[in-house]
Amino acid sequence: MRRPLFVFVIAVLLMLSARMAGAVPQTASDIRKLTERVAEWQIKNFTYQKEGNLHDYGIDAWTNAVLYVGMLKWTQSLETPSVYLDWLMKIGEENRWKIPANFANYPKYQYYHADELCVGQFYLGMYDRYGKDIMLHAVQERLDWIMTHPADTAMRYFNKQCWSWCDALFMAPPVYAHLAKITSEPRYLEFMHEHFLRTYHHLYDQTNHLFFRDDSYFAKKEINGAPVFWGRGNGWVLAGIANILELLPEDSKFRSFYVQLFTELASRLRQLQDKEGFWHASLLDPASYPSPETSSTALITYGLAYGLNHHLLDESYLPVVRKGWKALVSTVDKNGKVGWIQPIGADPKKVTREMTAVYGVGAFLMAATEIMELIE
């Protein structure tokens, strides 16, 4: 479809959806106001630990890293992003732009752990904007160390030296792709693709076209007898591929694989959206987990909206994205707190409106950024 007609279709569908949706923000101005309220609430309520479980709650933990990535993406939609950029700069400087490596009795495998690399997405994004070497140094040093110290690559779920769980495909691969873009060194992409393929061949179910969280779920079943496919886990993968595609050169020999996987996973996920626009904690047994789940919905909506904006998906996905955005808006309370976010875990769990988490907010900001681009 030619670009002008594509834009016209988007505009018409969004105007119609605005009439049907009532108070759901659909104009750029309304979306900006809502999302700023979300971002400001999270900044005001942001905390992190300096001791204890730093892997999940430290300043550079994967949980917080997803928030930083979402916040940085959101600044792209703002004419005056200084408030958010100042906050992000403060975070980076406070952590001295370091990759996690300061845990008590830090085990060697943590140096390979994909989660610990997630904050590198934030650092490299800030490097793109400010060009300060300190924002680049620790990321490149860690990736070079990993690549020159062969890891245990046995794809067992408890082995964190390799990408043995599907969440890892969001956390680490975009860091390698981004560093390859910055340095023009193809070895980072070669390494990324090799290890992505290992995870893909191990965890991707060719029958259901979904990713198992890890190999401990191969034989597990939901109450209805379906295999266990975690909503957020598959959201991590779709969003991770979008972030890889954003960084891959158009002529990359790897690009066709990621485009094919992205469209295949997107096609399957669109079938699993509920009538309200949500994806649930369990993708194939939503009846056992009927509550909304924001983190999976935000990650999937982000991925699908990215696909529309970059012409990887056709306009038939517009109603899916529209419903996903409407669902996300419903999770925000009057103060800007995003609820219905499943806590840290590895499988479907019960969720309530009061539950929030920084990674869910980061995913919300990522989705809002793509929605803004879609309608502008």
Side-chain angles (χ1 to χ4, degrees):
M1 179 179 288
R2 291 178 299 174
R3 176 74 178 177
L5 181 56
F6 184 77
V7 173
F8 176 74
V9 170
I10 291 173
V12 170
L13 285 175
L14 284 171
M15 284 189 292
L16 289 173
S17 70
R19 293 179 182 178
M20 293 185 294
V24 176
Q26 296 287 349
T27 68
S29 176
D30 288 342
I31 292 171
R32 185 175 291 111
K33 289 176 183 177
L34 172 75
T35 308
E36 286 180 350
R37 192 163 80 243
V38 168
E40 289 164 8
W41 182 93
Q42 188 58 74
I43 289 174
K44 182 179 179 180
N45 291 274
F46 180 77
T47 61
Y48 65 89
Q49 293 182 6
K50 296 184 179 181
E51 56 184 21
N53 181 9
L54 299 183
H55 172 75
D56 291 328
Y57 301 109
I59 188 173
D60 46 14
W62 68 269
T63 48
N64 290 325
V66 179
L67 172 63
Y68 308 150
V69 170
M71 194 80 73
L72 187 57
K73 284 185 180 293
W74 173 241
T75 64
Q76 300 169 10
S77 303
L78 304 176
E79 294 180 2
T80 54
S82 57
V83 172
Y84 306 105
L85 288 174
D86 289 349
W87 184 78
L88 290 169
M89 183 68 77
K90 179 177 178 291
I91 292 290
E93 290 176 345
E94 187 170 343
N95 198 47
R96 293 182 289 175
W97 309 98
K98 289 165 40 178
I99 300 295
N102 58 348
F103 301 164
N105 301 316
Y106 200 81
K108 181 180 177 181
Y109 80 80
Q110 291 290 136
Y111 284 96
Y112 300 95
H113 203 306
D115 288 356
E116 316 299 22
L117 299 181
C118 188
V119 74
Q121 296 185 51
F122 161 51
Y123 293 165
L124 297 183
M126 293 291 278
Y127 177 84
D128 284 344
R129 182 177 283 270
Y130 296 103
K132 294 184 177 181
D133 288 342
I134 192 173
M135 299 169 174
L136 177 68
H137 178 71
V139 180
Q140 187 166 15
E141 183 179 62
R142 178 62 63 86
L143 266 56
D144 287 347
W145 187 93
I146 291 172
M147 293 169 63
T148 55
H149 291 77
D152 177 358
T153 57
M155 293 296 290
R156 302 182 298 268
Y157 76 91
F158 52 82
N159 177 23
K160 301 305 181 184
Q161 290 193 36
C162 61
W163 302 342
S164 62
W165 69 112
C166 72
D167 317 26
L169 299 182
F170 177 92
M171 306 299 168
V175 182
Y176 287 86
H178 203 158
L179 193 58
K181 182 178 180 180
I182 290 171
T183 64
S184 299
E185 293 189 23
R187 62 193 176 97
Y188 294 113
L189 278 184
E190 297 281 353
F191 184 93
M192 178 203 78
H193 187 62
E194 175 189 348
H195 289 267
F196 192 107
L197 282 179
R198 291 176 60 82
T199 308
Y200 165 76
H201 289 305
H202 188 57
L203 298 181
Y204 188 61
D205 185 273
Q206 296 288 348
T207 300
N208 289 285
H209 300 293
L210 295 168
F211 279 82
F212 287 102
R213 196 275 177 176
D214 58 58
D215 58 18
S216 70
Y217 291 90
F218 285 172
K220 293 181 180 179
K221 301 292 183 182
E222 296 285 15
I223 293 173
N224 67 358
V228 178
F229 290 111
W230 185 31
R232 185 161 74 225
N234 282 272
W236 284 132
V237 178
L238 187 72
I241 300 172
N243 289 349
I244 292 169
L245 288 170
E246 179 71 12
L247 297 160
L248 272 182
E250 288 294 330
D251 61 352
S252 171
K253 62 183 178 180
F254 305 124
R255 190 172 182 85
S256 61
F257 167 80
Y258 293 100
V259 170
Q260 171 61 31
L261 179 58
F262 179 87
T263 55
E264 191 172 294
L265 185 57
S267 177
R268 182 65 174 118
L269 288 170
R270 73 181 294 182
Q271 301 169 5
L272 301 173
Q273 186 184 40
D274 75 12
K275 64 180 181 180
E276 301 299 326
F278 285 100
W279 284 267
H280 290 255
S282 174
L283 291 174
L284 299 189
D285 189 12
S288 295
Y289 301 88
S291 299
E293 205 292 293
T294 301
S295 59
S296 59
T297 300
L299 289 166
I300 295 169
T301 300
Y302 163 69
L304 298 182
Y306 177 89
L308 281 167
N309 282 327
H310 293 81
H311 310 293
L312 302 172
L313 304 175
D314 63 40
E315 67 274 12
S316 68
Y317 283 83
L318 278 167
V320 183
V321 171
R322 184 188 68 221
K323 285 174 63 179
W325 173 244
K326 181 179 178 181
L328 290 173
V329 170
S330 73
T331 69
V332 182
D333 73 11
K334 63 180 181 180
N335 298 314
K337 176 183 175 181
V338 180
W340 297 110
I341 301 175
Q342 182 186 321
I344 295 170
D347 57 349
K349 289 184 173 64
K350 304 296 183 181
V351 191
T352 68
R353 173 173 288 280
E354 292 70 32
M355 291 179 176
T356 191
V358 286
Y359 47 83
V361 176
F364 184 101
L365 295 173
M366 291 163 58
T369 303
E370 289 299 323
I371 295 294
M372 284 286 291
E373 182 176 340
L374 191 61
I375 68 171
E376 286 186 331

